[in-house]
Amino acid sequence: MEILLIGVLLLAGLAFGTLGSHFFGVPRVVGYILIGMLFSPDLLGDHLGLDTARWTQPLVAIALGIVAYLIGGAATIGQLRRLGVSIITATVGKVAGAFLLVFAGFVWLGVSVPDLPVWGAPLVLAALATITAPAAIVAIIHQYRASGPLTTALLGMVAMDDALGVVIFSVALALLAADGLASALPLLAWELVAALVIGGGGGWLIERISRLLHEHELRLVALIGAIILLVGLAEAWHFSGLLAAMTLGFTARWFGGAHAERLFEPVEQLEEMVFVLFFTLAGLYFDLSVVVEHGWLILLFFVLRGAGQVIGSWIGARLGGAPPAIANNVGLGMLPQGGVAVGMALMLEGQPRFAEVAILAINIITASTLLTESIGAFAARFGLRRAGELNEANGGHDGEHDNEGK
Amino acid sequence: MKASDWLKAHPVEAVTLSPEASLPEAATRFLEHPEVRDIYVIDADGQVCGHLGFRRLAGLLLAHLRPTHSRRQLVERVTTGVVREHMDDHVLCMQPDERISEVFHHHMERRVEDIPVVDADRRLLGVIRVADLLRQAIDRRD
């Protein structure tokens, strides 16, 4: 039954998403989420006897491992240097701003869940707030043929900031996995050091192996096999699979030299499928009663995350010496939030300790994704227009929302 | 047929570049030789150290026309560097005494259109054009 449902979710999600985008101009992710909702327990799920918690976790863990590998392999050290100081500082500022404001706001309001310390739920939500959806921003830039320093800064930042988000999320989970602060430090050290060492060693190994595999198809098997093996080891040996997969990507890119396409292109082709899976699964967990009960939390998360990003990226960009046109507008272009955050929230669901916060996080992230799809796109357009980088003569062509939200 | 025999019968001058050449320079070389789809990168010692394909280069220089990007492509778009940073540094080359029939499929799996032939010191001796191989196969059929 579960295999049948995965097939239905992928195909119906794809059909609903693309048709909605084509006929109504709504982002594809909306269609994906709606299809997932259709199979949630409140609608068809209970009638079909589906127990989502039982079978979705391995899928989510592998899919998230694939995305983390791609995030890790996004840039080389040389490329990071060429991005420039102001883009790096603005990225750090944006991530720090979103994290701190969401964390402070939710702690101040006393949002907590059973099984976790009072700062547990705010920490998880703050970590999820650091993630951005590059595809939504690229879609707007492409639609309006935007170009200029702000556009360059935005493209660089959205490619890089999820790496920081993965690190923060991994540290947050390691902290929360410990029973007290005394046991947290050794546990944290093991979770992170093991992930870095094993992921790093794996990256070196897979790069060496890939040199022997000239066929594209065989490299794909090796790469996916390595990611799954690493995620499995992380589960068995209790270290961060997400961080390990990201380190795998980073070191594979590092050892792979200049031309890393052979190590990433085969896996990149799976990314769309991963995001369809994440959004439809998030829809499965969508609980209207949670959304209604915590509607104000969703709004608060959206506002705090947005404000934190705008303020943080402004401070970071100014510290890095960016001109006002970039500093004043770059945070506005970073609001869209999507698949990676949804995947991370889904991952929490598999661990009993995080079950309560998982349901809250999945529903907040899914609902705020729908919000950022419209308001985030508007804010990005506003920022690019204010910086004089929008070529509006080219705006409004078909497929405006085709890739948003991922 | 051995690679060296093929090169004697079908001499083709390979298009080469320095690793420090810019991407627009590489594009200019391609445009000067419209039939060429693979440029070989030669280091200071005259050895083949990399390869840059036409589609790869066009993808980098025309990235702004692409509606979707992976994260890797996003970073490449905003940090365009020199040829060295984008070339494939694992170039599959033929030795002069190798038979084309024995190694041809390895090259096809790499999705290249030209097959470089190098000596024992990895110096470029010439290029076997897949188009020439195809032309000969058709001629034989006829």
Side-chain angles (χ1 to χ4, degrees):
Chain A
M1 193 64 181
E2 287 82 5
I3 297 171
L4 178 69
L5 180 61
I6 294 168
V8 170
L9 285 176
L10 285 176
L11 290 177
L14 182 68
F16 215 63
T18 47
L19 289 175
S21 170
H22 184 74
F23 288 111
F24 304 108
V26 293
R28 280 210 300 252
V29 296
V30 175
Y32 301 161
I33 292 170
L34 289 177
I35 282 296
M37 285 179 186
L38 187 66
F39 289 92
S40 65
D42 286 344
L43 294 170
L44 295 178
D46 268 355
H47 299 290
L48 297 172
L50 297 169
D51 179 7
T52 46
R54 196 163 50 85
W55 57 271
T56 56
Q57 282 315 304
L59 269 182
V60 170
I62 293 168
L64 212 48
I66 289 172
V67 177
Y69 171 78
L70 295 176
I71 291 173
T76 62
I77 301 282
Q79 285 174 325
L80 285 177
R81 279 199 207 103
R82 274 207 308 285
L83 271 177
V85 175
S86 64
I87 292 182
I88 302 290
T89 54
T91 307
V92 173
K94 174 252 160 197
V95 169
F99 177 83
L100 290 174
L101 222 57
V102 171
F103 182 70
F106 277 70
V107 167
W108 186 63
L109 286 166
V111 177
S112 63
V113 294
D115 300 328
L116 289 182
V118 286
W119 46 271
L123 185 65
V124 169
L125 292 170
L128 292 172
T130 60
I131 303 295
T132 314
I137 293 148
V138 173
I140 293 161
I141 286 169
H142 178 75
Q143 184 195 354
Y144 289 100
R145 303 288 186 265
S147 64
L150 175 63
T151 306
T152 301
L154 275 176
L155 291 173
M157 286 174 70
V158 293
M160 302 309 309
D161 70 338
D162 284 357
L164 292 175
V166 167
V167 173
I168 292 173
F169 187 72
S170 302
V171 172
L173 289 199
L175 276 174
L176 290 170
D179 284 328
L181 276 179
S183 63
L185 278 180
L187 196 68
L188 186 67
W190 166 250
E191 284 243 12
L192 304 185
V193 172
L196 294 175
V197 171
I198 297 171
W204 175 80
L205 197 60
I206 199 66
E207 197 280 326
R208 292 280 130 181
I209 291 170
S210 77
R211 290 180 187 218
L212 306 173
L213 302 171
H214 300 305
E215 292 90 342
H216 180 87
E217 295 78 3
L218 295 183
R219 276 201 305 276
L220 180 62
V221 176
L223 293 168
I224 295 297
I227 294 168
I228 294 175
L229 184 71
L230 198 58
V231 171
L233 280 177
E235 195 180 297
W237 293 347
H238 305 291
F239 62 86
S240 169
L242 209 51
L243 193 61
M246 196 173 83
T247 311
L248 181 81
F250 180 78
T251 46
R253 182 82 194 266
W254 192 9
F255 290 116
H259 188 82
E261 260 185 292
R262 72 184 196 289
L263 290 163
F264 293 95
E265 202 178 29
V267 184
E268 282 166 359
Q269 289 167 3
L270 300 175
E271 207 173 17
E272 180 68 26
M273 189 185 74
V274 166
F275 286 123
V276 176
L277 198 65
F278 280 165
F279 284 116
T280 51
L281 290 183
L284 281 182
Y285 285 100
F286 201 75
D287 187 334
L288 193 61
S289 64
V290 174
V291 174
V292 170
E293 189 184 341
H294 297 102
W296 64 281
L297 285 184
I298 294 165
L299 206 61
L300 189 73
F301 178 84
F302 175 78
V303 171
L304 290 175
R305 176 177 171 271
Q309 286 189 174
V310 170
I311 297 166
S313 57
W314 182 83
I315 294 171
R318 292 305 282 164
L319 285 176
I326 293 181
N328 295 343
N329 298 304
V330 78
L332 292 170
M334 304 285 287
L335 294 183
Q337 180 182 31
V340 180
V342 170
M344 287 173 166
L346 286 169
M347 195 184 88
L348 295 170
E349 220 279 331
Q351 303 172 50
R353 189 158 195 203
F354 296 123
E356 290 277 341
V357 77
I359 293 299
L360 186 66
I362 291 168
N363 284 283
I364 286 181
I365 299 295
T366 308
S368 67
T369 296
L370 295 174
L371 267 178
T372 56
E373 283 308 312
S374 47
I375 298 173
F378 175 78
R381 266 196 296 272
F382 175 76
L384 286 164
R385 185 180 293 125
R386 205 162 63 157
E389 295 189 11
L390 218 54
N391 182 0
E392 303 201 48
N394 279 317
H397 63 73
D398 287 342
E400 175 181 349
H401 296 290
D402 275 2
N403 301 292
E404 293 184 20
K406 293 185 290 175
Chain B
M1 184 185 270
K2 284 185 178 175
S4 55
D5 296 334
W6 179 272
L7 287 183
K8 278 179 202 154
H10 304 86
V12 172
E13 193 188 343
V15 177
T16 61
L17 264 179
S18 140
E20 301 309 318
S22 69
L23 295 187
E25 277 178 78
T28 305
R29 298 303 303 277
F30 272 120
L31 296 173
E32 286 167 355
H33 302 86
E35 76 287 359
V36 169
R37 284 293 174 269
D38 297 284
I39 285 182
Y40 297 96
V41 187
I42 309 293
D43 65 16
D45 298 328
Q47 295 176 318
V48 176
C49 65
H51 156 266
L52 188 64
F54 179 78
R55 284 183 61 82
R56 165 87 172 136
L57 180 69
L60 288 165
L61 292 178
L62 300 175
H64 58 283
L65 299 178
R66 196 190 295 140
T68 60
H69 292 64
S70 67
R71 286 176 176 79
R72 183 178 56 81
Q73 290 166 336
L74 274 177
V75 177
E76 281 179 348
R77 177 172 166 181
V78 295
T79 60
T80 315
V82 294
V83 164
R84 177 172 43 82
E85 292 164 72
H86 298 285
M87 67 186 192
D88 180 357
D89 54 2
H90 307 305
V91 191
L92 196 59
C93 298
M94 272 189 86
Q95 301 295 315
D97 57 348
E98 282 184 304
R99 291 191 173 281
I100 295 172
S101 57
E102 287 167 5
V103 294
F104 176 74
H105 77 281
H106 288 308
H107 291 271
M108 286 300 93
E109 281 154 5
R110 298 290 291 260
R111 298 173 186 179
V112 294
E113 293 192 31
D114 294 343
I115 303 171
V117 183
V118 297
D119 64 15
D121 293 327
R122 226 174 150 75
R123 289 189 168 78
L124 193 60
L125 300 173
V127 164
I128 297 175
R129 289 261 150 82
V130 176
D132 289 339
L133 291 171
L134 191 60
R135 191 172 295 117
Q136 190 188 62
I138 292 169
D139 289 347
R140 277 186 184 162
R141 275 187 164 191
D142 293 341

